[in-house]
Amino acid sequence: MATTTKSVFAFEEGDGKDKQLLGGKGANLCEMTQIGLNVPPGFVIATSACLDYLAAPEQGLPAALMEEVRAQMRAVEEKTGKGFGDPDNPLLVSVRSGSAMSMPGMMDTILNLGLNAATLQGEIRATGDARFGYDAYRRFIQLFGKVALGIDDAVFDTAFEAIKRAAHARQDVDLSARELEQVCERFLALVREHTGQPFPEDPYQQLELAIQAVFNSWQGKRAVDYRRQFHITPEMANGTAVNVVTMVFGNRGEDSATGVAFTRNPGTGENRLYGEYLVNAQGEDVVAGIRTPKPIDRLADEMPEMATALAELRDKLERHYREVQDFEFTIERGQLYCLQTRNGKMNATAMVRTSVEMVEEGVIERERALLRIAPDLLEQMLFPRLDPGVVAESVAQGLPASPGAASGIAVFDADRAEQLGREQGLKVILVREETKPEDIHGFFAAAGILTSRGGKTSHAAVVARGMGKPCVAGAEGISVDVERREARVGLTRFREGETITIDGTSGKVYIGAIATVEPEFTAELSTLLGWADAHARLRVLANADTPDDARRARRYGAVGIGLARTERMFNDVERLPIVIEMIVAETPEQRQDALDRLLPLQRADFQSLFEVMSPNPVTIRLLDPPIHEFLPDAQVLEREIADLRALECGARGLGVLAGAMGLLHAEDTLRHEVDRARRLVEPALVEEAIAKKEAMLRKVRLLYETNPMLGHRGVRLGITFPEIYQMQVRAILEAAAECAKAGIEVHPQIKVPQVCTAQELRMVRASVETIHAEVAERYGAPVAFRFGTMIEVVRACMRAESLAEEADFFSFGTNDLTQATFSFSREDAENKFLPLYNQSGILQDNPFDVLDRKGVGKLMELAVEWGRRVKPNLHVGICGEHGGHPDSIAFCHQAGLDYVSCSGPRVPVARLAAAHAALAGRP
Ligand code: PEP
Ligand code: MG
């Protein structure tokens, strides 16, 4: 397909804002060039050319495109004064991928392109450095062989290692020029063996094949998996651009170096250049972890002028991008080049700290400080760390590459991690010598990553940090044996399946599992969330059932409890027997007796929730689940009854035997034994136990429901057993009155579950008011309360107007409302058909996870609109799981809700998401 529009842009002319067309890296190279940074000359081939090519790859690259490429190469030749393919002064280039969304390491890159037998000699003559020339050439043949010619990397690695061994070289730099020349010859022979063709000599042919290979890598498995995992849609990034950049060399001797750096520390957020470099090395050496690099601070001693230049570069980058940058640089013979920059991926702690500090430094304003952090990221800050009270000896020390602590079983390759972690649901720690992009599926499945080589910017470190998983990198004391599936650390070793613990905050590695503790809320996070609250309209409440939950939620900034599930208070060992007595009671008196004993317990529960949350509202939901859930299982009961019957039968048999023995004048000792056995089992007691169990079984069968989730639960239960709700309401109002008496400000809210008609609500309300009057009289003062309803069945949405007449507030229970709207069982759908629905695109998301705006959301909008028609100040919120998810929170904001209520650990996420929702659409 011929391209007619311009597809290739010099760095001086490309639009630095157009990432869709030029890819993130290409756009940045253009922007960096245009703001005056020292970027090696080059050009970008647009993503549109990638899509055109991929539509018909068999036709190769269009001639018109290659014409543009040639024209741009001529311009680069002019800028550098070198010639592409010129043996006397050769121009070498890198060919790099780069799409609109950053996909680190997922697509291919080729370096040193333009080398062939002739230009190599030119390069050696120009630099006077044969070692350097052969080193560059062998790297090029291997990369080109792998990426453009499809030869397995291991083919080259094995040959390289063999030559290294023969030369007794420990590291790559120990090889001489002659030995590297041998490597090149061997590599060229390998290419011929594997492709049946000689290695392509013509630089333009090399370039064409390389561009094609980079385009193809957009559709490679790694890239496709990555996009799927991170939900990168074609609207976000479509096709990769190709960046052709003049090579600059960090491996030209002791005055050359290469490195990667962040403008601020991506692990802690500290406002200080953070990174690593290697003297006399090329870029991929730093990232691949082949040699352990030096911390950037050392540069000031080794190359003071370059350290100053780097500090200037850092300031320029941050001032221009107003964002922490992750950049690559190369020093070639005392000249600093910036090769790439992008927004730094940081963990949550660093994101929060840099947000707050950049506002304080006047680099960005508060809105930007909030919007640059994805709300979900904050959950990372609530990561566990090793319990400081536990004394444990670490077995190895590596670099603290990504904070947080994790225990899990050791696995030594990514496939196994996927198998045990993803498929079998085990917690695994992926242990590798070093990781590569093709290990990405292992990262997804692992709870943490441990490598024995590489620095804090190695692949393992960068990827783990991006995912917020703990990582210890470069633990050099560990030697990994993938074949034998084990690792040795000094005299100890651990095998696959053995539990280890890594602490990505300290870099320590332990054998065995170590307890972890909840992290603390940092001062910066409080500041940031304070700004978030000031922008948000939605208030964030918590779902909490215990004083501990409530305390934590409050610490995380919840301004009340939006849902306290009272059934969770029934399940403790002290109460369950009383609850069961209440359920199996045969007479109203028996039931009342049990309820009378539950009342003070519930009152104490509510009182402590009120105290913890004062002066914020506490919303208590009356009993919801079907009561048979509190009773024993029918099958278990049947088995127990059968066992008791067998015992009874045995006891009777012993009685008969004893009688017979008397008649037969059996020996005393024998008679004595039989008597003793008889005394052990008292038939009357066994009978009594059987009778009790049978009564229970009858009750269980009576209460049995084929479909309990749609059955006798919620308000239906409250209407058929009114004394249960009466007890709970009394406990709530008395607890509130007790608090008020003690001078504690309380705002109790009572809500009724599973309501579908106004009549249900009216009946419950009447009973609440009667009890309220009684309590007020007894305490001598009424306690104000609010009465509301859950909205979790479809009919409740449809009857919102009449429900609003009875309710002060609506609380959407979107767990049940989703179940009811889809007719998908919330118990079963997620492990039966939903995964397939998601994979095949029938449903984009799991609706129990991400609020279904089109169906459930539509019902909510109608209910809000109709409810407020009757009661304009009707207070409306959500308390289903969706209340803690940013996308659903954005919807709740748009739908005009007043609050969201979510589990405690999601509260910080929800606060930030509420601010994002309010700020959305602002310029
Ligand atoms: C809901 O249905 O969304 C809800 C909060 O109630 P539960 O999950 O307890 O049924
Ligand atoms: Mg519910």
Side-chain angles (χ1 to χ4, degrees):
M1 199 190 305
T3 48
T4 46
T5 49
K6 184 173 172 65
S7 301
V8 188
F9 301 85
F11 293 161
E12 289 80 357
E13 59 183 355
D15 175 0
K17 299 280 173 277
D18 198 347
K19 291 189 176 176
Q20 285 296 339
L21 186 71
L22 303 178
K25 195 181 292 170
N28 262 333
L29 284 165
C30 293
E31 191 154 341
M32 288 193 300
T33 304
Q34 291 162 32
I35 63 170
L37 301 183
N38 198 18
V39 176
F43 55 88
V44 196
I45 307 172
T47 53
S48 52
C50 172
L51 297 180
D52 286 346
Y53 162 77
L54 287 175
E58 66 290 350
Q59 293 179 20
L61 294 179
L65 180 71
M66 281 312 291
E67 258 324 298
E68 278 191 76
V69 167
R70 279 171 197 275
Q72 290 291 351
M73 277 310 283
R74 283 193 291 277
V76 173
E77 286 175 327
E78 254 169 54
K79 281 173 217 159
T80 57
K82 297 179 176 188
F84 194 44
D86 178 356
D88 292 327
N89 188 14
L91 168 65
L92 303 183
V93 294
S94 66
V95 178
R96 296 164 186 267
S97 59
S99 75
M101 298 290 292
S102 166
M103 297 169 52
M106 290 304 114
M107 290 175 298
D108 292 327
T109 286
I110 296 177
L111 305 172
N112 297 326
L113 189 134
L115 276 178
N116 56 26
T119 54
L120 169 64
Q121 293 313 320
E123 192 64 23
I124 291 173
R125 277 194 304 280
T127 59
D129 188 346
R131 194 192 171 283
F132 163 77
Y134 287 113
D135 193 41
Y137 196 31
R138 65 99 186 168
R139 288 170 193 268
F140 171 53
I141 303 166
Q142 173 160 2
L143 256 183
F144 192 90
K146 173 186 159 194
V147 172
L149 305 175
I151 304 169
D152 189 349
D153 221 9
V155 167
F156 296 108
D157 284 342
T158 313
F160 187 60
E161 286 304 319
I163 295 176
K164 243 167 94 176
R165 245 193 330 274
H168 302 292
R170 266 193 63 231
Q171 296 197 323
D172 299 1
V173 283
D174 298 332
L175 289 175
S176 67
R178 176 69 205 109
E179 284 150 357
L180 285 168
E181 188 183 354
Q182 265 178 27
V183 174
C184 295
E185 281 161 10
R186 182 78 194 103
F187 280 11
L188 288 172
L190 285 171
V191 168
R192 212 172 299 117
E193 261 170 47
H194 281 82
T195 63
Q197 308 272 342
F199 188 80
E201 287 276 300
D202 172 11
Y204 274 104
Q205 191 195 351
Q206 292 175 357
L207 185 57
E208 190 165 348
L209 285 170
I211 295 168
Q212 261 174 280
V214 173
F215 281 167
N216 285 331
S217 68
W218 176 254
Q219 291 296 31
K221 182 174 177 334
R222 257 188 291 149
V224 171
D225 283 353
Y226 189 93
R227 293 200 291 278
R228 186 176 314 119
Q229 180 71 27
F230 289 102
H231 304 291
I232 299 178
T233 61
E235 290 71 41
M236 295 155 83
N238 209 359
T240 179
V242 176
N243 302 288
V244 178
V245 193
T246 304
M247 286 296 301
V248 286
F249 295 96
N251 52 351
R252 283 237 158 138
E254 295 305 306
D255 59 353
S256 300
T258 185
V260 289
F262 283 78
T263 53
R264 296 178 195 230
N265 184 315
T268 64
E270 190 189 0
N271 183 6
R272 194 167 166 198
L273 189 66
Y274 172 94
E276 292 162 329
Y277 71 102
L278 275 172
V279 172
N280 197 11
Q282 210 160 311
E284 82 265 21
D285 296 345
V286 180
V287 181
I290 289 164
R291 279 162 57 194
T292 303
K294 298 175 185 173
I296 206 85
D297 290 347
R298 296 274 300 278
L299 194 67
D301 304 326
E302 290 200 324
M303 300 181 194
E305 276 175 33
M306 290 297 99
T308 310
L310 202 60
E312 277 167 20
L313 172 60
R314 164 185 188 254
D315 288 349
K316 267 192 199 165
L317 284 170
E318 268 205 2
R319 266 204 312 277
H320 179 75
Y321 288 99
R322 301 169 73 222
E323 183 51 271
V324 175
Q325 294 295 296
D326 163 6
F327 65 102
E328 288 178 16
F329 64 90
T330 285
I331 297 168
E332 185 183 280
R333 302 218 153 137
Q335 179 67 300
L336 173 70
Y337 292 94
C338 185
L339 300 186
Q340 202 209 120
T341 189
R342 60 186 171 204
N343 290 347
K345 285 201 176 183
M346 286 176 279
N347 64 27
T349 311
M351 280 303 277
V352 169
R353 177 165 170 185
T354 52
S355 257
V356 172
E357 291 188 354
M358 286 198 291
V359 169
E360 284 163 357
E361 293 158 23
V363 180
I364 55 174
E365 62 291 347
R366 287 184 182 183
E367 286 81 354
R368 192 179 170 109
L370 293 168
L371 288 171
R372 69 191 275 276
I373 304 177
D376 267 333
L377 193 68
L378 293 189
E379 213 169 46
Q380 269 183 30
M381 290 189 79
L382 314 166
F383 270 161
R385 60 199 165 85
L386 292 186
D387 182 347
V390 175
V391 183
E393 276 259 57
S394 61
V395 290
Q397 171 76 56
L399 299 167
S402 179
S407 298
I409 56 169
V411 291
F412 297 96
D413 69 75
D415 289 344
R416 200 80 181 119
E418 185 167 54
Q419 200 181 21
L420 296 177
R422 256 232 173 122
E423 293 161 20
Q424 294 187 28
L426 298 174
K427 262 185 98 181
V428 303
I429 306 288
L430 177 61
V431 186
R432 303 282 288 160
E433 198 160 57
E434 60 191 282
T435 61
K436 291 191 169 184
E438 43 266 43
D439 293 329
I440 191 80
H441 56 298
F443 279 71
F444 293 136
I449 320 294
L450 167 63
T451 66
S452 60
R453 287 208 309 212
K456 282 196 226 164
T457 42
S458 63
H459 176 263
V462 172
V463 176
R465 241 185 344 255
M467 292 184 177
K469 299 199 173 188
C471 174
V472 173
E476 290 178 350
I478 298 180
S479 71
V480 177
D481 188 335
V482 180
E483 296 278 287
R484 305 174 79 159
R485 295 181 186 278
E486 65 174 35
R488 273 186 308 283
V489 216
L491 296 176
T492 324
R493 73 179 160 180
F494 55 90
R495 295 212 166 95
E496 183 179 284
E498 282 183 47
T499 302
I500 59 168
T501 299
I502 60 166
D503 180 0
T505 313
S506 68
K508 290 191 162 53
V509 181
Y510 305 84
I511 306 259
I514 297 180
T516 51
V517 287
E518 299 249 331
E520 314 236 335
F521 224 60
T522 63
E524 283 98 356
L525 183 56
S526 287
T527 305
L528 185 94
L529 291 177
W531 297 343
D533 295 343
H535 282 92
R537 199 206 63 236
L538 285 169
R539 302 289 88 188
V540 179
L541 281 70
N543 294 353
D545 315 316
T546 65
D548 276 350
D549 283 357
R551 255 186 293 274
R552 183 175 59 180
R554 185 158 195 177
R555 239 186 8 256
Y556 288 178
V559 290
I561 294 180
L563 170 64
R565 292 173 161 106
T566 51
E567 57 272 15
R568 304 234 171 124
M569 302 164 184
F570 279 14
N571 266 329
D572 104 4
V573 278
E574 189 194 343
R575 293 152 189 220
L576 197 57
I578 315 178
V579 174
I580 293 176
E581 260 183 61
M582 170 193 84
I583 297 169
V584 300
E586 298 289 345
T587 64
E589 291 74 27
Q590 280 175 351
R591 171 156 305 122
Q592 196 53 52
D593 177 59
L595 286 167
D596 287 348
R597 278 180 286 145
L598 280 174
L599 175 76
L601 301 172
Q602 283 262 271
R603 188 171 51 220
D605 293 333
F606 301 141
Q607 204 169 326
S608 44
L609 286 182
F610 292 149
E611 283 167 7
V612 172
M613 269 296 156
S614 170
N616 296 302
V618 174
T619 316
I620 293 160
R621 183 178 72 185
L622 302 178
L623 193 67
D624 182 12
I627 47 179
H628 72 74
E629 280 194 8
F630 298 101
L631 297 184
D633 183 78
Q635 279 182 347
V636 173
L637 280 172
E638 281 162 4
R639 217 172 317 128
E640 286 171 354
I641 292 170
D643 289 349
L644 283 170
R645 284 206 192 291
L647 194 63
E648 190 189 28
C649 195
R652 291 198 196 289
L654 282 173
V656 174
L657 185 60
M661 281 180 159
L663 288 176
L664 295 170
H665 308 290
E667 263 182 41
D668 277 357
T669 47
L670 203 57
R671 281 171 54 187
H672 183 70
E673 280 305 307
V674 172
D675 270 348
R676 211 163 66 91
R678 263 181 71 194
R679 275 200 304 278
L680 281 177
V681 188
E682 180 56 66
L685 286 181
V686 178
E687 262 171 44
E688 197 184 318
I690 292 176
K692 267 195 185 155
K693 297 237 178 244
E694 282 180 338
M696 178 72 80
L697 184 60
R698 271 196 303 280
K699 199 77 189 177
V700 170
R701 288 194 177 132
L702 198 70
L703 292 172
Y704 170 80
E705 292 176 286
T706 309
N707 198 341
M709 287 305 270
L710 302 180
H712 197 179
R713 61 178 289 212
V715 70
R716 275 96 80 181
L717 199 65
I719 285 177
T720 42
F721 299 101
E723 52 289 359
I724 300 178
Y725 274 17
Q726 283 160 12
M727 178 277 289
Q728 291 196 298
V729 169
R730 187 176 299 281
I732 295 167
L733 295 174
E734 287 182 359
E738 289 291 338
C739 286
K741 208 165 76 182
I744 299 165
E745 185 178 340
V746 281
H747 295 280
Q749 312 207 120
I750 298 172
K751 69 175 166 182
V752 188
Q754 300 292 328
V755 168
C756 60
T757 86
Q759 282 79 355
E760 289 168 328
L761 217 45
R762 215 170 290 135
M763 269 180 88
V764 179
R765 178 159 210 153
S767 147
V768 170
E769 273 164 7
T770 309
I771 295 166
H772 183 241
E774 280 170 34
V775 173
E777 196 180 313
R778 194 141 44 86
Y779 282 82
V783 177
F785 72 96
R786 293 215 278 186
F787 180 79
T789 178
M790 296 281 288
I791 302 281
E792 49 192 341
V793 308
V794 177
R795 195 175 190 280
C797 298
M798 297 296 101
R799 301 295 295 149
E801 278 176 302
S802 47
L803 293 187
E805 282 173 7
E806 306 300 327
D808 305 319
F809 64 90
F810 281 0
S811 176
F812 285 105
T814 44
N815 302 333
D816 276 310
L817 189 57
T818 301
Q819 166 173 269
T821 306
F822 281 85
S823 277
F824 286 176
S825 158
R826 60 189 267 196
E827 313 291 308
D828 299 318
E830 284 171 287
N831 49 27
K832 292 286 190 302
F833 54 87
L834 258 182
L836 180 65
Y837 265 47
N838 292 145
Q839 264 163 31
S840 57
I842 295 175
L843 283 176
Q844 282 260 292
D845 296 299
N846 169 356
F848 292 104
D849 228 8
V850 179
L851 189 98
D852 160 53
R853 293 179 178 222
K854 292 180 189 156
V856 179
K858 190 76 207 160
L859 286 168
M860 289 170 71
E861 282 168 344
L862 290 174
V864 174
E865 190 194 325
W866 293 344
R868 287 202 177 130
R869 227 186 253 166
V870 170
K871 200 171 265 177
N873 58 356
L874 183 76
H875 205 63
V876 185
I878 180 175
C879 64
E881 285 312 298
H882 307 91
H885 291 184
D887 182 68
S888 314
I889 292 170
F891 171 78
C892 292
H893 175 92
Q894 288 157 20
L897 268 58
D898 299 297
Y899 71 91
V900 299
S901 186
C902 58
S903 66
R906 298 294 299 181
V907 166
V909 174
R911 289 168 71 191
L912 184 56
H916 276 214
L919 289 168
R922 288 233 198 142

